[in-house]
Amino acid sequence: MIILENITKIYKSNNKKKELHAVNDVSLKINKGEIYGIIGFSGAGKSTLVRCINLLERPTFGKVFVDGIELTSLKNKELRERRKKIGMIFQQFNLFASRTVYQNVAYPLKGLSKEEVENKVMYLLELVGIKDKAYSYPSQLSGGQKQRVAIARALANEPNILLCDEATSALDPKTTHSILELLKKLNKTLGITIVIITHEMNVVKEICHRVAVMSNGEKIEEGNIFDIFSNPMHKVTKDFIDTTSNVSKIYSLVEEDNELIKINDNECILRLKYKKDSVVEPLVSKISREFNVDVNILFANIELVDDAHFGGLVVKMHQLKSDGINKAIKFLKEKNVDVEVIVDVRNTK
């Protein structure tokens, strides 16, 4: 278990007259065996925060507990021993270019016999799926293969925690997916706690159990991944989620007065936001039949997050009978669907 209590990190300029509060009074509790995401735009303080977990950055104020031990109180030798159980991987892999894959993974294995090192390295390379690249050099590997080497090296000391600082940012979407699948496999098979720092909401959506959102050095929101996606409370979180959904395009189309959103009398454009239990019901066909409305779907985005469905639609709705749209909206809300009226000309003659 990882507990951060009131972590603040302040950087001072050379003349010590200016201060930068990179992290400001952040508290977190990360459970054992959890995949926990910390997300934020550039400069939010997320990388500084994660480096406080293993004290690569020592907090100016606050306490760091890992498995019940308060790290900031340890002497250097004790801290080095504790750090061995906290693996870390980075965006740029940090491999030794002049060493083979085998030698990179073997680097942390001090004090073991040659046979023990060989058994350990080959086991780790097989675990991450690149055993056949053992005697290749980093320059001969793809980005995804390099990251697998970095993961294998981070696992060499059998850590309980794996910190991932923008570990997929330099990778293409297909390779990113394969690395995330590997991390999920390691979490499940080894029971390792994984903390992921990212500015990519798709990464959080695919792998994390819980997430904290940071902005300007502060934690502005935290929760399980489904709740954060289905009901974001802060504007920054909403902005992040909109980057993964094409449904949000409707707002820019309205601003541009795009032809797609031109509507006639007795019509309106609605954004429907589905919740956990409403996605599986055929609600569009139901409201069409029961309330005499024609529904044209303009955008759709239904996703699976943390084994639960959520998403939404943007629809153009035309009522064939008076008050049909109002009745349809009431019905949808009763079915746990949030309804936002984007454009409405039902009163136009």
Side-chain angles (χ1 to χ4, degrees):
M1 181 183 294
I2 302 167
I3 298 175
L4 305 182
E5 287 187 357
N6 308 111
I7 298 298
T8 294
K9 178 62 181 181
I10 302 172
Y11 295 102
K12 294 185 178 181
S13 63
N14 291 334
N15 59 19
K16 297 185 179 181
K17 291 183 178 180
K18 291 185 178 181
E19 293 185 343
L20 171 64
H21 287 245
V23 178
N24 188 23
D25 196 27
V26 173
S27 296
L28 292 176
K29 179 180 177 181
I30 300 170
N31 298 317
K32 183 177 180 180
E34 187 173 34
I35 303 179
Y36 190 94
I38 301 175
I39 192 165
F41 291 113
S42 296
K46 56 190 184 297
S47 291
T48 301
L49 181 65
V50 79
R51 291 165 70 89
C52 287
I53 293 177
N54 57 2
L55 295 197
L56 288 180
E57 294 285 355
R58 186 171 285 269
T60 309
F61 304 107
K63 295 181 179 181
V64 179
F65 295 88
V66 175
D67 293 332
I69 304 297
E70 208 284 283
L71 298 190
T72 63
S73 66
L74 299 180
K75 296 180 180 179
N76 288 339
K77 183 178 179 181
E78 296 172 316
L79 180 58
R80 285 195 296 270
E81 287 301 310
R82 286 286 168 181
R83 278 180 176 157
K84 290 180 181 179
K85 294 302 179 181
I86 306 175
M88 193 165 190
I89 57 175
F90 304 88
Q91 178 180 352
Q92 297 301 330
F93 320 125
N94 290 6
L95 302 179
F96 297 109
S98 60
R99 302 189 184 198
T100 64
V101 167
Y102 182 101
Q103 291 169 330
N104 268 279
V105 177
Y107 180 75
L109 298 174
K110 310 294 184 182
L112 299 182
S113 69
K114 183 177 179 180
E115 182 180 1
E116 288 172 326
V117 169
E118 181 175 1
N119 290 338
K120 189 77 171 281
V121 170
M122 299 312 289
Y123 163 75
L124 290 171
L125 292 178
E126 184 171 11
L127 184 65
V128 301
I130 51 167
K131 187 176 181 180
D132 60 321
K133 301 293 183 181
Y135 301 105
S136 300
Y137 286 88
S139 62
Q140 299 170 308
L141 304 179
S142 67
Q145 289 169 336
K146 290 176 184 177
Q147 196 57 283
R148 287 173 183 267
V149 178
I151 292 171
R153 184 179 61 185
L155 296 174
N157 284 318
E158 301 179 10
N160 302 317
I161 297 165
L162 183 61
L163 307 179
C164 307
D165 190 0
E166 299 283 6
T168 60
S169 295
L171 307 176
D172 61 77
K174 184 176 180 180
T175 306
T176 291
H177 176 73
S178 70
I179 294 298
L180 295 180
E181 286 298 309
L182 173 59
L183 292 175
K184 285 194 282 188
K185 170 189 168 185
L186 297 175
N187 171 255
K188 185 175 182 179
T189 58
L190 303 180
I192 191 169
T193 303
I194 299 177
V195 183
I196 292 184
I197 304 304
T198 183
H199 63 271
E200 300 172 286
M201 205 66 179
N202 279 321
V203 170
V204 169
K205 178 175 61 180
E206 186 168 342
I207 191 173
C208 294
H209 303 135
R210 290 193 301 134
V211 62
V213 184
M214 290 192 67
S215 179
N216 296 320
E218 298 181 350
K219 181 185 74 175
I220 58 172
E221 195 162 353
E222 182 184 25
N224 71 60
I225 194 66
F226 182 85
D227 289 343
I228 291 292
F229 266 84
S230 63
N231 189 33
M233 304 303 294
H234 197 281
K235 184 182 182 302
V236 170
T237 313
K238 293 175 183 177
D239 289 344
F240 263 117
I241 292 171
D242 281 347
T243 65
T244 70
S245 171
N246 60 6
V247 172
S248 60
K249 292 178 182 178
I250 187 62
Y251 301 108
S252 60
L253 293 177
V254 170
E255 289 180 2
E256 298 164 6
D257 198 26
N258 190 282
E259 284 294 320
L260 186 64
I261 55 92
K262 298 293 185 185
I263 58 177
N264 302 311
D265 292 356
N266 292 316
E267 290 184 341
C268 65
I269 293 178
L270 307 175
R271 180 173 179 176
L272 312 181
K273 191 174 181 182
Y274 286 70
K275 298 295 184 66
K276 198 167 189 175
D277 300 321
S278 55
V279 177
V280 294
E281 291 192 60
L283 298 179
V284 171
S285 59
K286 281 186 178 181
I287 60 175
S288 296
R289 291 194 308 268
E290 295 185 22
F291 305 112
N292 290 298
V293 294
D294 290 332
V295 182
N296 179 23
I297 297 174
L298 302 181
F299 297 104
N301 195 73
I302 306 297
E303 301 186 69
L304 182 67
V305 174
D306 199 21
D307 295 325
H309 287 91
F310 91 101
L313 307 173
V314 173
V315 301
K316 182 186 292 185
M317 193 176 292
H318 175 80
Q319 61 186 16
L320 303 176
K321 289 187 177 181
S322 176
D323 210 33
I325 290 177
N326 284 336
K327 291 178 180 178
I329 290 174
K330 181 181 178 183
F331 173 82
L332 289 169
K333 289 180 177 180
E334 290 172 350
K335 290 293 184 178
N336 203 27
V337 178
D338 288 340
V339 181
E340 178 185 357
V341 179
I342 305 294
V343 183
D344 188 353
V345 296
R346 281 176 288 168
N347 297 321
T348 300
K349 299 297 183 182

